[in-house]
Amino acid sequence: GAVMSGSESDRPAPAEADEYARGVAAFEREEWSAVVDHMTRATEQRPWHDDAYNLMGFAYRKLGDYDKALQSYDRALKLNPYHRGALEYLGEAYLELDQPELARATLERLEVECRRIVPAATDGGWQENCEEWQDLSEAYEAYIARPGGD
């Protein structure tokens, strides 16, 4: 048998977890450039990390780089077509780009995901229990209600 000391050596956290965690912390502080930097490194290490692409897209959007934001949301949704956060943020990006028809289509896609995931029997129904749908729906309605809205 092997001789063991009775305890394990401390294991450092994986670098990709550190980058993602740093990115989330930067996101919470609304430090958008730092979010992009950390999430870029996180996705280089873990190219399947849909949440990292989603947060990177949000940060790019806040920085005004809509091309990169849309690319990031697209990548998140290719990895996870059910990603409600990416759908919400994508719809918001479309509204900011004055593309309400694409925002509406995204809202409808998000509704399908919310109905699929949130049980109808839940108190309040799927709408009240799907924050992403509520947020995008409110943003869409506000866009439509503004002067000159479609």
Side-chain angles (χ1 to χ4, degrees):
V3 177
M4 308 258 318
S5 68
S7 65
E8 293 184 38
S9 299
D10 290 335
R11 294 183 186 170
E16 63 270 12
D18 288 344
E19 286 300 333
Y20 181 74
R22 287 185 192 110
V24 170
F27 184 88
E28 291 170 354
R29 293 187 306 271
E30 299 183 6
E31 295 173 355
W32 307 125
S33 293
V35 173
V36 169
D37 293 342
H38 291 298
M39 294 307 176
T40 297
R41 286 191 290 276
T43 58
E44 286 169 355
Q45 296 164 341
R46 294 174 60 195
W48 58 87
H49 203 308
D50 57 333
D51 289 330
Y53 282 106
N54 180 44
L55 295 181
M56 188 177 354
F58 188 95
Y60 275 128
R61 185 163 56 100
K62 291 298 185 178
L63 291 169
D65 191 335
Y66 286 90
D67 288 338
K68 287 184 180 177
L70 295 176
Q71 290 170 10
S72 297
Y73 295 140
D74 183 58
R75 183 69 179 141
L77 290 166
K78 279 190 169 116
L79 292 167
N80 178 1
Y82 311 110
H83 199 297
R84 293 182 302 176
L87 288 167
E88 175 193 346
Y89 294 159
L90 177 62
E92 291 171 356
Y94 286 142
L95 292 175
E96 291 169 14
L97 291 167
D98 291 321
Q99 298 178 0
E101 65 286 346
L102 292 175
R104 180 70 193 167
T106 304
L107 181 62
E108 290 169 2
R109 184 175 169 194
L110 183 54
E111 178 180 341
V112 170
E113 293 313 315
C114 289
R115 286 179 181 271
R116 185 179 68 80
I117 294 171
V118 179
T122 306
D123 289 343
W126 70 267
Q127 292 155 321
E128 291 183 22
N129 289 288
C130 186
E131 182 179 338
E132 298 87 356
W133 183 87
Q134 286 180 353
D135 291 348
L136 182 54
S137 179
E138 289 172 11
Y140 179 79
E141 293 301 324
Y143 180 92
I144 296 302
R146 70 185 174 95
D150 293 18

